[in-house]
Amino acid sequence: MTKVFPATSMPDRDWWVALWPDPLDVVQLLGVIPEMSVLDLCCGDGYFTAPLAKLVGGKVYALDLDPVMIERAKEEVARLNTSVLKWICADAQDAPQHITEPVDYVLMANTFHGVPDKLGLVEAVRVMLRPNGLFGVVNWRPLPREQTIVLNQPRGPATDLRMSPEALKAVVGPIGFHTIRIQELPPYHYAAIFQRSV
Ligand SMILES: C[S@@+](CC[C@H](N)C(=O)[O-])C[C@H]1O[C@@H](n2cnc3c(N)ncnc32)[C@H](O)[C@@H]1O
């Protein structure tokens, strides 16, 4: 049964742009390079999908459960004059059914905190990655929500949903990943970059 992950609605564009003024710089900081194929898991309205597609010359799969998000992401990708390999409107847990060739990189930005079955999701990511492929997770830092102010309002998921890098590593590592690095993404985020252990 398809199910929206709790606390994962797409933020309004005004404060998302204020928080992430340069999304291409972000995807480069995550270690995505032009040679890679990428799955943008829970792509939302395409705010990161479009610069990703631009960077890797269209070798992007983009998945979201919400058809409205997929339509908005398509517009964003067209606006940046680029393309993706495949649009997938599906539950992230079912992604392996739609990705028939292993990818070099799976990105999950601003969504992992809400996934109820985190182990199951990481296992799904593992099977879609080629050996030594990368899994980048962008998360809100575990700060109290009232301290993560953007455009004069507290933003992001509830405080108790936020994960520290250590808590994230403890979930992802045992599924068959090692940590490459933790990337600071100021003011309120970090990314953990994991590598599939063969
Ligand atoms: C907070 S938004 C983040 C979007 C994008 N990654 C970003 O950082 O700009 C989370 C997205 O996850 C999608 N989503 C929620 N539950 C999902 C599920 N079970 N499977 C696939 N996508 C889901 C929502 O529709 C939403 O677009």
Side-chain angles (χ1 to χ4, degrees), residues 2-11 16 20 40-49 63-67 69-70 88-94 107-111 113-116 121 138 140:
T2 54
K3 215 157 174 226
V4 180
F5 301 141
T8 63
S9 58
M10 185 70 215
W16 211 228
W20 304 104
D40 188 2
L41 199 53
C42 305
C43 65
D45 69 1
Y47 191 66
F48 293 105
T49 320
L63 179 148
D64 202 281
L65 185 60
D66 183 344
M69 288 301 128
I70 294 284
I88 304 160
C89 192
D91 193 321
Q93 302 276 171
D94 298 332
L107 168 65
M108 190 175 223
N110 299 296
T111 309
H113 61 265
V115 177
L121 192 279
V138 174
W140 287 82

Side-chain angles (χ1 to χ4, degrees), residues 44-64:
D45 69 1
Y47 191 66
F48 293 105
T49 320
L52 260 179
K54 196 100 186 161
L55 178 62
V56 302
K59 298 188 295 300
V60 170
Y61 299 87
L63 179 148
D64 202 281

